[in-house]
Amino acid sequence: MLLWAIQTAGLNRAKIRDVLAYRAEPFPGVTGEIPLSSALDDAGEVFLAFREQGQWVFHSREDLEIPRGKVIEKPRAERQQASIE
């Protein structure tokens, strides 16, 4: 992802960030497509692997009853300012 962003935006940090932030389609990855949320978090399905009886067993969030986190609506600077006040 980073190499693609650098090739697209050049060696400018702000442009690289913007190219990554505004990409609408998922990135192709080794394990499949990687969709990013508006906070640039991996929005794809996450699995936890446990070694059970000599084999890897994969469990989804739903299997383990782990809730999904919410996307933080306020930018970090606004959250920091609110915590100071």
Side-chain angles (χ1 to χ4, degrees), residues 51-82:
R51 188 84 173 161
E52 296 175 1
Q53 299 176 356
Q55 294 184 330
W56 287 104
V57 179
F58 297 91
H59 299 279
S60 69
R61 288 178 179 267
E62 290 78 21
D63 294 341
L64 300 172
E65 298 179 3
I66 300 172
R68 290 187 176 276
K70 65 178 183 176
V71 174
I72 299 170
E73 299 296 329
K74 288 185 179 180
R76 182 172 47 190
E78 290 178 23
R79 292 193 316 267
Q80 288 174 339
Q81 185 63 29

Side-chain angles (χ1 to χ4, degrees), residues 3 10 12 18 21 24-25 29-30 33 36-37 39 41 45 50-52 55 57 59 62 64-67 84:
L3 291 175
N12 180 309
D18 291 345
E25 60 272 354
V30 176
E33 298 209 335
L36 298 177
S37 73
D41 293 328
E45 185 60 45
F50 295 98
R51 188 84 173 161
E52 296 175 1
Q55 294 184 330
V57 179
H59 299 279
E62 290 78 21
L64 300 172
E65 298 179 3
I66 300 172
I84 294 171

Side-chain angles (χ1 to χ4, degrees), residues 34-49:
I34 305 169
L36 298 177
S37 73
S38 59
L40 296 180
D41 293 328
D42 184 351
E45 185 60 45
V46 176
F47 293 91
L48 297 175

